[in-house]
Amino acid sequence: MAPVFRFAPSPNGYLHLGHAYSALLNFDLAREVGGRLLLRIEDIDATRCRPEFEAAIYEDLAWLGIAWEMPVRRQSQHFTDYRAATERLAALGLLYPSFESRAEIARTIAAEEAKGSWPRDPDGAPLYPGIARSLSPQAVAELKQADAPMALRLDMARAIAASGPLTWTEQGTGPGGETGTVAAQPGAWGDVILARKETPTSYHLSVVIDDALQGVTHVVRGQDLFWSTSVHRLLQQLLGLPQPVYRHHLLVRDGTGAKLSKSTGSTSLRELRAGGTTPADIRRMVGLSDPAAAS
Ligand code: GLU
Protein backbone atom coordinates (compact mmCIF):
# COMPACT_ATOMS: atom_id res chain seq x y z
CA MET A 1 0.00 0.00 0.00
CA ALA A 2 1.20 3.49 -0.82
CA PRO A 3 2.56 5.48 2.12
CA VAL A 4 0.23 8.25 3.33
CA PHE A 5 1.56 11.64 4.45
CA ARG A 6 -0.40 14.59 5.72
CA PHE A 7 -0.02 18.31 6.35
CA ALA A 8 -2.28 19.49 9.16
CA PRO A 9 -2.34 23.27 9.69
CA SER A 10 -4.68 25.19 11.99
CA PRO A 11 -6.51 28.09 10.29
CA ASN A 12 -5.81 30.56 13.11
CA GLY A 13 -3.47 32.82 11.14
CA TYR A 14 -1.63 33.05 7.83
CA LEU A 15 0.98 30.43 6.97
CA HIS A 16 4.63 31.44 7.34
CA LEU A 17 7.94 29.97 6.15
CA GLY A 18 7.84 27.26 8.83
CA HIS A 19 4.56 25.95 7.42
CA ALA A 20 5.93 26.17 3.89
CA TYR A 21 8.89 24.00 4.93
CA SER A 22 6.67 21.39 6.60
CA ALA A 23 4.17 21.28 3.72
CA LEU A 24 6.87 21.12 1.01
CA LEU A 25 8.78 18.43 2.90
CA ASN A 26 5.64 16.29 3.19
CA PHE A 27 4.90 16.87 -0.50
CA ASP A 28 8.45 16.00 -1.60
CA LEU A 29 8.69 12.90 0.61
CA ALA A 30 5.32 11.63 -0.61
CA ARG A 31 6.40 12.11 -4.22
CA GLU A 32 9.77 10.43 -3.67
CA VAL A 33 8.16 7.22 -2.46
CA GLY A 34 5.06 7.26 -4.67
CA GLY A 35 2.92 8.09 -1.64
CA ARG A 36 -0.24 10.13 -1.11
CA LEU A 37 -0.47 13.58 0.49
CA LEU A 38 -3.54 14.52 2.52
CA LEU A 39 -4.44 17.93 3.87
CA ARG A 40 -6.23 18.25 7.18
CA ILE A 41 -7.63 21.47 8.60
CA GLU A 42 -7.24 21.42 12.39
CA ASP A 43 -10.05 23.81 13.25
CA ILE A 44 -11.39 22.55 16.57
CA ASP A 45 -10.84 25.90 18.29
CA ALA A 46 -13.84 27.91 17.10
CA THR A 47 -12.66 31.03 18.93
CA ARG A 48 -9.36 31.26 17.00
CA CYS A 49 -10.03 29.64 13.61
CA ARG A 50 -11.47 31.75 10.77
CA PRO A 51 -12.72 30.90 7.26
CA GLU A 52 -10.45 33.50 5.66
CA PHE A 53 -7.38 31.78 7.13
CA GLU A 54 -8.61 28.43 5.80
CA ALA A 55 -9.12 29.92 2.32
CA ALA A 56 -5.61 31.40 2.53
CA ILE A 57 -4.15 27.96 3.36
CA TYR A 58 -5.52 26.50 0.11
CA GLU A 59 -4.31 29.50 -1.88
CA ASP A 60 -0.81 29.56 -0.34
CA LEU A 61 -0.26 25.80 -0.73
CA ALA A 62 -1.41 25.85 -4.36
CA TRP A 63 0.93 28.80 -4.99
CA LEU A 64 3.80 26.76 -3.56
CA GLY A 65 3.02 24.08 -6.15
CA ILE A 66 1.67 21.56 -3.65
CA ALA A 67 -1.09 19.17 -4.71
CA TRP A 68 -3.18 17.28 -2.15
CA GLU A 69 -6.01 14.79 -2.27
CA MET A 70 -9.64 15.77 -1.95
CA PRO A 71 -11.73 15.86 0.13
CA VAL A 72 -9.88 17.80 2.78
CA ARG A 73 -10.72 16.61 6.30
CA ARG A 74 -11.92 19.46 8.50
CA GLN A 75 -11.83 18.48 12.16
CA SER A 76 -14.81 20.65 13.12
CA GLN A 77 -17.00 18.32 11.02
CA HIS A 78 -15.98 15.18 12.90
CA PHE A 79 -16.79 15.82 16.54
CA THR A 80 -18.80 12.57 16.67
CA ASP A 81 -15.61 10.56 15.93
CA TYR A 82 -13.81 12.26 18.82
CA ARG A 83 -16.78 11.81 21.18
CA ALA A 84 -16.83 8.09 20.40
CA ALA A 85 -13.14 7.91 21.39
CA THR A 86 -13.68 9.72 24.70
CA GLU A 87 -16.56 7.36 25.43
CA ARG A 88 -14.25 4.37 24.91
CA LEU A 89 -11.60 5.86 27.19
CA ALA A 90 -14.26 6.67 29.79
CA ALA A 91 -15.53 3.08 29.62
CA LEU A 92 -11.97 1.95 30.41
CA GLY A 93 -12.09 4.15 33.53
CA LEU A 94 -9.27 6.36 32.26
CA LEU A 95 -11.01 9.78 32.19
CA TYR A 96 -12.21 12.07 34.93
CA PRO A 97 -13.93 15.46 34.78
CA SER A 98 -12.31 18.56 36.26
CA PHE A 99 -14.16 21.80 36.86
CA GLU A 100 -11.66 24.46 37.89
CA SER A 101 -11.12 27.67 35.94
CA ARG A 102 -7.62 28.37 34.61
CA ALA A 103 -7.24 31.02 37.32
CA GLU A 104 -8.07 28.53 40.09
CA ILE A 105 -5.52 26.05 38.76
CA ALA A 106 -2.91 28.81 38.49
CA ARG A 107 -3.57 29.79 42.14
CA THR A 108 -3.13 26.20 43.35
CA ILE A 109 0.13 25.88 41.44
CA ALA A 110 1.41 29.24 42.68
CA ALA A 111 0.75 28.07 46.26
CA GLU A 112 2.67 24.84 45.58
CA GLU A 113 5.51 26.73 43.93
CA ALA A 114 5.77 29.00 46.96
CA LYS A 115 6.57 25.85 48.98
CA GLY A 116 9.02 24.41 46.46
CA SER A 117 9.29 23.56 42.80
CA TRP A 118 6.38 22.26 40.73
CA PRO A 119 6.84 19.96 37.71
CA ARG A 120 6.39 21.33 34.21
CA ASP A 121 5.48 19.56 30.97
CA PRO A 122 7.81 19.42 27.94
CA ASP A 123 6.29 22.70 26.67
CA GLY A 124 7.10 24.39 29.98
CA ALA A 125 3.53 24.55 31.32
CA PRO A 126 2.97 23.48 34.95
CA LEU A 127 1.34 20.06 35.34
CA TYR A 128 -2.28 19.92 36.45
CA PRO A 129 -2.25 19.41 40.22
CA GLY A 130 -4.93 16.69 40.13
CA ILE A 131 -7.42 18.66 42.23
CA ALA A 132 -10.47 16.99 40.68
CA ARG A 133 -9.15 13.42 40.67
CA SER A 134 -10.61 12.70 44.06
CA LEU A 135 -14.03 14.38 43.68
CA SER A 136 -16.89 12.22 44.93
CA PRO A 137 -19.59 11.18 42.43
CA GLN A 138 -21.95 13.49 44.30
CA ALA A 139 -19.62 16.48 44.01
CA VAL A 140 -19.21 15.74 40.27
CA ALA A 141 -23.00 15.64 39.83
CA GLU A 142 -23.40 18.96 41.68
CA LEU A 143 -20.67 20.68 39.66
CA LYS A 144 -22.22 19.44 36.41
CA GLN A 145 -25.58 20.82 37.57
CA ALA A 146 -23.98 24.15 38.46
CA ASP A 147 -22.75 24.45 34.87
CA ALA A 148 -19.12 24.89 35.96
CA PRO A 149 -16.44 24.87 33.22
CA MET A 150 -15.68 21.21 32.54
CA ALA A 151 -12.72 19.40 31.03
CA LEU A 152 -12.23 15.65 30.64
CA ARG A 153 -8.75 14.65 31.69
CA LEU A 154 -6.77 11.50 31.12
CA ASP A 155 -5.83 9.81 34.39
CA MET A 156 -2.21 9.49 33.31
CA ALA A 157 -1.04 7.05 35.97
CA ARG A 158 -3.89 4.62 35.18
CA ALA A 159 -3.45 5.10 31.44
CA ILE A 160 0.27 4.26 31.66
CA ALA A 161 -0.49 1.25 33.84
CA ALA A 162 -3.00 0.06 31.21
CA SER A 163 -0.69 0.62 28.23
CA GLY A 164 2.69 -0.51 29.56
CA PRO A 165 5.93 0.94 28.13
CA LEU A 166 5.71 2.35 24.60
CA THR A 167 8.15 3.46 21.93
CA TRP A 168 7.92 5.05 18.51
CA THR A 169 10.02 4.98 15.36
CA GLU A 170 11.63 8.36 14.77
CA GLN A 171 13.09 9.00 11.32
CA GLY A 172 13.99 12.60 12.11
CA THR A 173 15.35 13.96 15.38
CA GLY A 174 14.06 15.26 18.67
CA PRO A 175 15.24 18.47 20.34
CA GLY A 176 17.96 16.48 22.14
CA GLY A 177 19.00 14.56 19.00
CA GLU A 178 16.74 11.57 19.80
CA THR A 179 16.29 9.28 16.81
CA GLY A 180 15.53 5.65 15.92
CA THR A 181 13.49 3.90 18.60
CA VAL A 182 12.39 6.52 21.12
CA ALA A 183 10.85 5.64 24.48
CA ALA A 184 7.54 7.47 24.96
CA GLN A 185 7.31 9.44 28.21
CA PRO A 186 3.64 10.40 28.45
CA GLY A 187 3.87 10.83 32.22
CA ALA A 188 5.81 14.04 31.60
CA TRP A 189 2.54 15.66 30.47
CA GLY A 190 0.46 14.86 33.56
CA ASP A 191 -3.33 14.50 33.36
CA VAL A 192 -3.80 16.10 29.93
CA ILE A 193 -7.16 17.49 28.83
CA LEU A 194 -8.73 15.36 26.10
CA ALA A 195 -12.03 17.23 25.74
CA ARG A 196 -13.85 20.25 27.08
CA LYS A 197 -17.51 20.97 27.54
CA GLU A 198 -17.53 23.50 24.70
CA THR A 199 -15.16 21.49 22.43
CA PRO A 200 -15.56 17.71 22.66
CA THR A 201 -11.93 17.07 21.71
CA SER A 202 -8.38 18.39 21.98
CA TYR A 203 -5.30 18.57 19.78
CA HIS A 204 -3.93 15.28 21.13
CA LEU A 205 -7.13 13.30 20.72
CA SER A 206 -8.19 14.57 17.30
CA VAL A 207 -4.73 14.19 15.76
CA VAL A 208 -4.56 10.56 16.84
CA ILE A 209 -8.09 9.69 15.69
CA ASP A 210 -7.64 11.44 12.35
CA ASP A 211 -4.24 9.95 11.58
CA ALA A 212 -5.80 6.52 12.12
CA LEU A 213 -9.05 7.20 10.23
CA GLN A 214 -7.14 8.70 7.32
CA GLY A 215 -4.67 5.81 7.19
CA VAL A 216 -1.67 8.09 7.75
CA THR A 217 1.54 6.03 7.75
CA HIS A 218 4.09 8.88 7.97
CA VAL A 219 3.73 11.84 10.33
CA VAL A 220 6.17 14.56 9.25
CA ARG A 221 5.93 17.67 11.43
CA GLY A 222 7.95 20.22 13.40
CA GLN A 223 10.25 19.33 16.26
CA ASP A 224 8.08 21.42 18.62
CA LEU A 225 5.62 18.50 18.55
CA PHE A 226 8.26 15.82 19.21
CA TRP A 227 7.34 15.08 22.83
CA SER A 228 3.61 15.28 22.10
CA THR A 229 4.22 12.00 20.30
CA SER A 230 4.43 10.36 23.75
CA VAL A 231 0.77 11.20 24.36
CA HIS A 232 -0.15 10.22 20.81
CA ARG A 233 1.43 6.79 21.19
CA LEU A 234 -0.37 6.30 24.50
CA LEU A 235 -3.76 7.16 23.00
CA GLN A 236 -3.10 4.93 19.99
CA GLN A 237 -2.31 2.04 22.30
CA LEU A 238 -5.36 2.59 24.53
CA LEU A 239 -7.69 2.92 21.54
CA GLY A 240 -6.19 0.03 19.56
CA LEU A 241 -5.06 2.26 16.66
CA PRO A 242 -2.09 1.61 14.35
CA GLN A 243 1.08 3.62 14.86
CA PRO A 244 2.56 5.67 12.02
CA VAL A 245 6.30 6.34 11.79
CA TYR A 246 7.34 9.84 12.79
CA ARG A 247 9.76 12.31 11.32
CA HIS A 248 10.16 15.54 13.27
CA HIS A 249 11.97 18.25 11.36
CA LEU A 250 13.95 21.29 12.44
CA LEU A 251 11.98 24.49 12.87
CA VAL A 252 12.56 27.48 10.64
CA ARG A 253 13.87 30.30 12.83
CA ASP A 254 13.99 34.05 12.38
CA GLY A 255 17.12 36.20 12.47
CA THR A 256 17.09 36.23 16.29
CA GLY A 257 16.86 32.42 16.51
CA ALA A 258 13.23 32.45 17.68
CA LYS A 259 10.83 29.95 16.11
CA LEU A 260 8.38 31.48 13.66
CA SER A 261 4.88 31.94 15.00
CA LYS A 262 1.56 33.25 13.77
CA SER A 263 0.85 34.93 17.08
CA THR A 264 4.06 36.98 17.12
CA GLY A 265 3.40 38.15 13.57
CA SER A 266 6.13 36.30 11.63
CA THR A 267 6.14 37.32 7.97
CA SER A 268 3.40 35.40 6.19
CA LEU A 269 3.80 33.63 2.85
CA ARG A 270 1.28 36.03 1.35
CA GLU A 271 3.32 39.04 2.43
CA LEU A 272 6.42 37.45 0.91
CA ARG A 273 4.46 36.74 -2.28
CA ALA A 274 3.18 40.31 -2.43
CA GLY A 275 6.78 41.49 -2.09
CA GLY A 276 7.82 39.51 -5.16
CA THR A 277 9.18 36.30 -3.57
CA THR A 278 8.61 33.29 -5.84
CA PRO A 279 7.84 29.67 -4.83
CA ALA A 280 11.38 28.73 -5.96
CA ASP A 281 12.75 31.45 -3.61
CA ILE A 282 10.70 29.97 -0.77
CA ARG A 283 12.22 26.53 -1.40
CA ARG A 284 15.68 28.04 -1.29
CA MET A 285 14.88 30.02 1.87
CA VAL A 286 13.85 26.85 3.73
CA GLY A 287 16.74 24.80 2.35
CA LEU A 288 14.79 22.47 0.04
CA SER A 289 16.05 21.77 -3.43
CA ASP A 290 13.94 22.55 -6.46
CA PRO A 291 12.24 19.30 -7.54
CA ALA A 292 12.49 20.40 -11.19
CA ALA A 293 16.28 20.67 -10.81
CA ALA A 294 16.43 17.25 -9.11
CA SER A 295 14.47 15.37 -11.79
N1 GLU B 1 -2.18 21.50 13.73
C1 GLU B 1 -0.84 21.44 14.25
C2 GLU B 1 -0.13 22.75 14.00
O1 GLU B 1 -0.58 23.55 13.20
C3 GLU B 1 -0.01 20.34 13.63
C4 GLU B 1 -0.46 19.00 14.06
C5 GLU B 1 0.41 17.84 13.65
O2 GLU B 1 1.09 17.91 12.62
O3 GLU B 1 0.38 16.83 14.35
O4 GLU B 1 0.88 23.00 14.63
Side-chain angles (χ1 to χ4, degrees), residues 17-233:
L17 274 179
H19 299 106
Y21 178 50
S22 205
L24 286 166
L25 188 60
N26 270 288
F27 178 60
D28 289 0
L29 289 169
R31 283 231 298 212
E32 260 167 41
V33 297
R36 300 162 53 199
L37 176 64
L38 310 180
L39 175 61
R40 183 163 79 224
I41 300 294
E42 301 214 324
D43 60 348
I44 59 173
D45 184 350
T47 59
R48 295 175 63 218
C49 294
R50 291 207 237 128
E52 62 266 35
F53 293 138
E54 183 177 331
I57 288 172
Y58 303 134
E59 199 182 294
D60 292 348
L61 295 180
W63 173 71
L64 286 171
I66 292 173
W68 60 89
E69 283 184 18
M70 298 299 276
V72 168
R73 183 172 172 96
R74 299 174 69 243
Q75 291 188 324
S76 58
Q77 295 175 330
H78 296 280
F79 283 168
T80 46
D81 292 330
Y82 313 133
R83 263 196 209 101
T86 48
E87 279 160 18
R88 285 188 59 190
L89 293 169
L92 294 169
L94 299 177
L95 298 187
Y96 67 91
S98 73
F99 301 90
E100 310 85 13
S101 64
R102 282 173 214 266
E104 268 174 89
I105 295 174
R107 272 198 300 277
T108 306
I109 290 164
E112 292 295 331
E113 277 182 331
K115 291 186 241 159
S117 66
W118 185 255
R120 289 180 177 255
D121 71 22
D123 283 347
L127 297 195
Y128 174 68
I131 316 165
R133 209 184 292 129
S134 52
L135 285 176
S136 67
Q138 194 197 337
V140 167
E142 280 168 16
L143 284 158
K144 279 188 179 162
Q145 276 272 302
D147 213 24
M150 187 177 85
L152 283 179
R153 291 181 181 271
L154 186 65
D155 186 327
M156 189 54 86
R158 293 177 81 152
I160 290 173
S163 77
L166 298 167
T167 59
W168 78 84
T169 302
E170 176 62 44
Q171 296 182 334
T173 46
E178 300 85 351
T179 191
T181 302
V182 178
Q185 298 170 40
W189 293 94
D191 292 354
V192 287
I193 290 179
L194 292 190
R196 294 179 195 274
K197 189 162 62 182
E198 65 283 8
T199 309
T201 186
S202 58
Y203 161 64
H204 293 309
L205 186 67
S206 44
V207 89
V208 159
I209 300 300
D210 287 354
D211 284 340
L213 285 176
Q214 295 190 285
V216 171
T217 57
H218 290 67
V219 171
V220 178
R221 63 185 175 193
Q223 222 172 44
D224 52 339
L225 294 169
F226 184 83
W227 286 116
S228 293
T229 313
S230 293
V231 179
H232 301 171
R233 285 290 300 117

Side-chain angles (χ1 to χ4, degrees), residues 228-241:
S228 293
T229 313
S230 293
V231 179
H232 301 171
R233 285 290 300 117
L234 177 62
L235 294 174
Q236 285 157 2
Q237 181 73 14
L238 296 171
L239 293 165
L241 304 175

